[in-house]
Amino acid sequence: MADGAASLPPLPQDAGAAALAARIWRPDIGPCVAAIRDGDVVDISATFATMRDLCESKDPAAALRAAAGETVGRFEDILSNAHPDTRDASRPWLIAPIDLQAVKAAGVTFAVSMLERVIEERAKGDPTAARSIREEVGRLIGDDLQALKPGSAEAMELKRVLTEKGVWSQYLEVGIGPDAEIFTKAQILSSVGSNQLAGVRPDSAWNNPEPEIVLVIASEGTVVGATLGNDVNLRDFEGRSALLLSKAKDNNASCAIGPVIRFFDADFNLDDIRNARLDLTVEGREGYVLSGFSLMDKISRDPADLAAQTLNSHHAYPDGLVLFLGTLFAPTDDRDVAGQGFTHKEGDIVAIHSPRLGTLVNEIRATDACEPWTFGVSHLMRNLAGRGLL
């Protein structure tokens, strides 16, 4: 782990008072739901066989605190064993904190990132064309759109004006129109956790991390907690065509979530999400450092509205879901060649930190060089049945 990432606390600053849940892999046993208590990892899978079951309980924070279990080690030791290059397979390691939940994401939820999507579209995935187009789009549209309520009369008037100017875009439609963009980010059980490898397709020449808060939503629509996520994005793929979104977003190890879920309680709720700050650092092997941040109070759509647009009478999720909320951060500074902007290199260490959610850290590798995804829903069901937990 790079020096900067190593200095960031993996758990929330008030971890001692927080209701924190994780998932770990125990050798010869398999995936286990765990409570984090005073830095100890307590296996509570005898009470909650899946994280989905815990999230579906009446009061997940209270249920987590009450669940008895077996202490299997210290959190930082289990976290440090997650990296596949240095893993001791005889000891437990941390995995993504979700299991049967669907993994969804909201796109174009911040004005700045919305403009970057417009630029991608107009550049047709070519980073060398982005700079001049960014200037053109900024001149025509401006970037002071955060106060504009999507779907409002003012937003519809802006749509009319932009259409007349010939700069209307499908990204502006979901950015300021009434309907949010909601897409499937990853398949169930395919997400990676903190200190694991995150994947970028080797045939992508323009890509970036996206630091985001991820809501945890129960099947009836209640937001029960939150965690951190990296919505790894291939800008060249999506820029060529929005119909390539699945190739831009859903790839091996391209969805990182963790390190833990923090459940809502009397001291932590949706207002803390609305006012959160996320700091991102990318450290390259060549000494390169990129820093950025995302402020949730700049979001164009309220998190509760995004949750309601995802799970409602038109679309049910019987095992619940997690929802990436989007990001303010969009790197535009050149990394190497002038005009090429930022893109990942193998070995980049990406750290996403928020004081009340902890730190998610991943090393970037090519998608075909990351650990293959081999443990699916059928494997989980057989594993739990064999352990007598179903």
Side-chain angles (χ1 to χ4, degrees):
M1 188 181 295
D3 292 342
S7 68
L8 295 169
L11 292 175
Q13 63 185 13
D14 55 343
L20 304 177
R23 289 175 68 244
I24 61 172
W25 188 277
R26 297 186 66 181
D28 302 322
I29 295 177
C32 300
V33 178
I36 312 302
R37 297 171 179 162
D38 296 324
D40 286 332
V41 177
V42 181
D43 180 351
I44 60 169
S45 54
T47 304
F48 294 104
T50 67
M51 189 64 76
R52 177 266 180 202
D53 293 337
L54 176 56
C55 294
E56 291 295 309
S57 61
K58 183 178 180 180
D59 183 343
L64 176 68
R65 290 184 169 112
E70 174 191 359
T71 300
V72 296
R74 296 292 291 174
F75 178 81
E76 292 200 10
D77 293 335
I78 291 174
L79 170 65
S80 67
N81 199 39
H83 197 290
D85 290 354
T86 57
R87 182 181 300 152
D88 178 350
S90 69
R91 296 169 42 230
W93 62 88
L94 194 73
I95 56 179
I98 61 171
D99 43 42
L100 294 177
Q101 296 94 337
V103 186
K104 309 294 285 189
V108 202
T109 55
F110 289 80
V112 171
S113 61
M114 177 181 68
L115 295 182
E116 285 301 308
R117 298 293 86 78
V118 175
I119 291 161
E120 286 171 11
E121 181 183 44
R122 294 170 75 86
K124 304 298 182 185
D126 178 7
T128 61
R131 177 175 291 175
S132 61
I133 295 172
R134 186 174 292 113
E135 293 173 355
E136 174 201 2
V137 170
R139 177 177 57 81
L140 291 172
I141 301 175
D143 58 6
D144 188 21
L145 297 175
Q146 66 188 46
L148 192 67
K149 181 177 175 57
S152 66
E154 292 80 7
M156 295 303 96
E157 174 61 16
L158 177 60
K159 175 180 178 179
R160 184 191 66 78
V161 172
L162 293 174
T163 301
E164 289 181 354
K165 290 179 177 290
V167 294
W168 186 249
S169 161
Q170 59 198 332
Y171 295 106
L172 285 166
E173 177 65 49
V174 296
I176 65 175
D179 298 312
E181 178 194 19
I182 307 292
F183 60 90
T184 296
K185 169 59 186 177
Q187 305 309 302
I188 292 171
L189 288 175
S190 70
S191 301
V192 298
S194 194
N195 204 27
Q196 294 185 305
L197 301 175
V200 170
R201 285 179 62 114
D203 51 351
S204 170
W206 189 20
N207 49 70
N208 63 265
E210 293 192 348
E212 304 189 21
I213 285 182
V214 183
L215 296 184
V216 181
I217 307 171
S219 61
E220 84 286 358
T222 302
V223 182
V224 298
T227 185
L228 295 171
N230 184 354
D231 179 14
V232 181
N233 183 44
L234 309 184
R235 300 189 68 177
D236 45 1
F237 275 67
E238 187 178 358
R240 281 160 45 205
S241 170
L243 297 180
L244 293 175
L245 181 65
S246 62
K247 282 195 172 183
K249 292 291 189 177
D250 185 6
N251 298 292
N252 186 38
S254 67
C255 178
I257 296 179
V260 297
I261 291 173
R262 180 168 187 169
F263 287 109
F264 289 171
D265 56 16
D267 297 318
F268 184 72
N269 56 43
L270 202 54
D271 283 338
D272 293 287
I273 301 304
R274 293 182 174 108
N275 294 296
R277 173 185 171 117
L278 290 81
D279 287 284
L280 174 133
T281 304
V282 178
E283 298 176 84
R285 290 175 176 172
E286 79 278 29
Y288 172 84
V289 177
L290 169 71
S291 297
F293 62 91
S294 185
L295 301 173
M296 289 300 297
D297 64 0
K298 304 297 185 185
I299 199 167
S300 302
R301 298 182 189 271
D302 187 76
D305 174 59
L306 290 170
Q309 289 212 33
T310 307
L311 193 160
N312 48 56
S313 60
H314 307 295
H315 203 314
Y317 294 89
D319 292 312
L321 71 139
V322 297
L323 178 64
F324 283 73
L325 293 178
T327 184
L328 175 70
F329 175 76
T332 58
D333 292 341
D334 295 329
R335 180 169 189 172
D336 288 319
V337 180
Q340 287 286 330
F342 171 86
T343 197
H344 273 304
K345 293 184 178 182
E346 184 167 320
D348 282 351
I349 302 296
V350 180
I352 299 169
H353 173 74
S354 190
R356 304 200 73 188
L357 290 171
T359 308
L360 172 66
V361 181
N362 299 98
E363 179 182 343
I364 298 297
R365 294 272 179 89
T367 46
D368 55 359
C370 293
E371 290 183 283
W373 174 38
T374 60
F375 193 87
V377 176
S378 65
H379 304 84
L380 176 62
M381 295 300 104
R382 293 187 184 98
N383 174 274
L384 296 178
R387 292 158 59 188
L389 297 179
L390 289 183

